[in-house]
Amino acid sequence: MAKTKLMITGGAGYIGSATARRLLNEGYDVAVIDNLSGGFIQALPSEAEFIQLDIRDERFSDLLKKFKPAAVLHFAARLVVHESFAESKDYIDTNVTGSMKVIEACRQAGIEQFLFSSSCTVYGASLPTTTMGFAEDDRLAPISPYGATKAQVEKVLSEACSQGWLNCVSLRYFNVAGAIAEEGIGQRGINSTQLVKAAAETASGRREAMHVHGLDYATKDGSCVRDFIHIADLIDIHSLILKGLLRSQITGYEAFNCGYGRGWTVLEVLQTMQKVSGCFFPIIKAHPRPGDMPIAFANTSKLRRRLNWAPKHDDLDQLCRSAYEWEKGL
């Protein structure tokens, strides 16, 4: 019996490549599109068909029609919040214009199932309506160009679904971290802006110190509060969502938060990395960065209820240790 075909844009990145590995192991036929501007060909499993191509290239539409996947998983994007202020034009071109081209190519090719890699930054200046954190129906009020691009693409996808030709799930990631070293899954870049990765780099001697951007927030230790999710739990969610789309259990437009439903402060994360690595690196106070949300954690009740999902790696020690061990092995 022929395997179900999937196309993954941005599939050489951290989350895209991890998802590609999982779906290949589950028996799907996976094609990966990536221009390698932020991804790594070493991250790709050998079984995946790889095409080096920018999603804005006119050839993408013909490629999609030829491959004819059952679903498209769209990860390709630029994603550094504070960088997006200085490079907003390029963020719009890559994240919005690029996504519009992918969506239109899907319409032309008759692709009806779509999974979009979104972000908690779409909530921005909004306030959670409950003490359980941001819920999917809370107001979207992004405060960074990056968050605005994600919110804009979500709106376009919602409109496409309302027209009846597309079923789409937007997964709003909170802070994805950790590694599965034995499967070749981990963050490969250097000088990362992502907290756990940067802390692992520092503990491994690749940085001299960690800078904490703001220690005057209204939190228990003055640093920002963030919800984290281990990459292993996140790819479980992608697998569940994809099955729901392909089996028509999810129709129309849906958004799901991806996190653990609780937050750790930046200082708590850094202190945990020091503990698991045995390296007590310097922690230096720095100025707050534009676009940083003081507190951001997810209400995950919808995900747990609708998909019967429960995390398997909700442990800060484990998350930091896996990132540190991965960093040592690079």
Side-chain angles (χ1 to χ4, degrees), residues 124-186:
S126 179
L127 294 174
T129 54
T130 74
T131 58
M132 294 173 64
F134 287 109
E136 289 83 357
D137 56 359
D138 282 343
R139 184 174 66 96
L140 304 189
I143 57 176
S144 68
Y146 167 67
T149 64
K150 290 295 187 180
Q152 190 171 343
V153 175
E154 282 202 32
K155 182 178 179 181
V156 172
L157 288 166
S158 177
E159 290 174 352
C161 292
S162 70
Q163 294 169 10
W165 65 267
L166 189 69
N167 300 304
C168 172
V169 171
S170 291
L171 293 180
R172 295 173 183 165
Y173 307 152
F174 278 66
N175 293 269
V176 188
I180 315 172
E182 63 273 18
E183 296 182 26
I185 293 172

Side-chain angles (χ1 to χ4, degrees), residues 52-280:
Q52 185 172 349
L53 189 74
D54 193 291
I55 55 172
R56 295 164 291 187
D57 193 300
E58 294 301 325
R59 292 173 291 175
F60 177 80
S61 183
D62 292 336
L63 190 64
L64 191 65
K65 290 175 184 175
K66 182 180 178 181
F67 189 68
K68 194 70 175 183
V72 168
L73 293 80
H74 181 40
F75 295 89
R78 295 192 64 180
L79 46 72
V80 181
V81 171
H82 71 270
E83 177 187 77
S84 70
F85 286 88
E87 302 180 31
S88 60
K89 183 178 179 180
D90 190 58
Y91 269 70
I92 292 169
D93 187 41
T94 302
N95 295 6
V96 179
T97 304
S99 295
M100 294 285 286
K101 288 184 177 293
V102 173
I103 295 164
E104 175 58 19
C106 286
R107 188 189 67 79
Q108 293 180 11
I111 308 301
E112 298 180 356
Q113 315 302 337
F114 198 94
L115 195 157
F116 178 54
S117 171
S118 191
S119 164
C120 67
T121 57
V122 298
Y123 296 114
S126 179
L127 294 174
T129 54
T130 74
T131 58
M132 294 173 64
F134 287 109
E136 289 83 357
D137 56 359
D138 282 343
R139 184 174 66 96
L140 304 189
I143 57 176
S144 68
Y146 167 67
T149 64
K150 290 295 187 180
Q152 190 171 343
V153 175
E154 282 202 32
K155 182 178 179 181
V156 172
L157 288 166
S158 177
E159 290 174 352
C161 292
S162 70
Q163 294 169 10
W165 65 267
L166 189 69
N167 300 304
C168 172
V169 171
S170 291
L171 293 180
R172 295 173 183 165
Y173 307 152
F174 278 66
N175 293 269
V176 188
I180 315 172
E182 63 273 18
E183 296 182 26
I185 293 172
Q187 292 172 279
R188 294 176 181 270
I190 57 173
N191 298 322
S192 176
T193 60
Q194 294 174 308
L195 179 63
V196 173
K197 165 72 170 173
E201 289 179 349
T202 310
S204 301
R206 291 185 170 87
R207 301 184 188 213
E208 292 184 357
M210 277 297 300
H211 291 79
V212 179
H213 295 277
L215 282 170
D216 300 310
Y217 292 104
T219 62
K220 62 183 179 182
D221 59 22
S223 62
C224 291
V225 172
R226 292 290 181 265
D227 194 344
F228 291 85
I229 183 168
H230 195 289
I231 185 67
D233 281 327
L234 187 67
I235 57 180
D236 283 347
I237 294 170
H238 284 79
S239 174
L240 288 168
I241 291 291
L242 180 64
K243 288 182 176 71
L245 283 167
L246 294 176
R247 295 170 182 170
S248 299
Q249 295 167 337
I250 300 175
T251 58
Y253 182 78
E254 295 274 11
F256 290 91
N257 288 332
C258 298
Y260 287 149
R262 61 169 176 159
W264 289 290
T265 69
V266 169
L267 285 178
E268 284 176 325
V269 173
L270 296 182
Q271 290 160 1
T272 301
M273 184 62 76
Q274 289 178 324
K275 180 181 70 173
V276 301
S277 68
C279 175
F280 292 86

